[in-house]
Amino acid sequence: MRRSLVTTILIAVTLAAPAAASLPRAGVLVPGQSLGGIRLGESPRAVRGALGTVYGVCHGCPQRTWYFTYAPGNKHGLAIEFTGRKVSGLYTLWRPAGWHTSNKLRLGSSALAVHRRTGASRTVVCRDYEALVGDSARASTAYYLVNGRLWGFGLFRRDASPCR
């Protein structure tokens, strides 16, 4: 009986793991390292393992891009770009509620708060928004501003533009 119970629990945990993979409700940006738990350089398989297999695919994007949202038709979530078989860029879609940085900077914060807390060293003007960008040895972290407020996050290879 005990062995049967242990076997049942192990099977349930194994089957539940893939079902539990999904977009985090309150994703975290760790500057220069990860966004929503995904790191630059990860494989598509690792992304599916972390976020699940329900995603949209961008047709017409210059890079293969997957869109993970909270529900079909919902605009809020995370976009993941691939170059070859590796993640080369990540960015939030719209302004997903609850997302923040590892030092608790929240979406909706003022541009001044972003400058003070991130040390972003340059501003890139994109079409409808600005990106405050901080560079590390291997990555660029973008803090997207719309109308002077923090709207989203991005993480890219150092040589990539943060404008999307």
Side-chain angles (χ1 to χ4, degrees):
M1 170 79 172
R2 180 172 165 83
R3 186 172 186 191
S4 176
L5 178 61
V6 169
T7 302
T8 302
I9 290 171
L10 285 174
I11 290 170
V13 167
T14 302
L15 293 175
S22 66
L23 192 60
R25 280 286 166 199
V28 178
L29 167 69
V30 179
Q33 295 182 31
S34 66
L35 178 58
I38 306 298
R39 295 177 177 274
L40 293 174
E42 286 192 24
S43 69
R45 183 177 186 178
V47 171
R48 285 190 297 267
L51 301 181
T53 57
V54 179
Y55 53 86
V57 176
C58 178
H59 301 286
C61 288
Q63 305 290 338
R64 178 171 55 147
T65 303
W66 293 352
Y67 295 123
F68 290 87
T69 58
Y70 291 107
N74 186 310
K75 297 178 183 178
H76 302 88
L78 182 65
I80 301 177
E81 295 179 352
F82 296 90
T83 300
R85 305 269 313 145
K86 301 291 182 187
V87 172
S88 57
L90 308 113
Y91 51 95
T92 54
L93 299 170
W94 289 81
R95 191 170 139 184
W99 285 57
H100 58 278
T101 65
S102 54
N103 69 358
K104 306 299 183 207
L105 183 65
R106 299 205 171 275
L107 294 179
S109 296
S110 70
L112 182 58
V114 174
H115 274 290
R116 285 183 176 164
R117 295 187 90 186
T118 68
S121 60
R122 59 188 169 101
T123 301
V124 178
V125 178
C126 302
R127 195 166 96 180
D128 298 318
Y129 55 91
E130 293 180 332
L132 301 180
V133 181
D135 296 317
S136 65
R138 287 183 257 164
S140 292
T141 303
Y143 304 88
Y144 296 116
L145 299 174
V146 174
N147 297 325
R149 293 283 173 191
L150 183 58
W151 184 261
F153 304 118
L155 185 62
F156 303 95
R157 294 184 322 203
R158 244 192 106 145
D159 60 339
S161 168
C163 299
R164 292 294 179 268

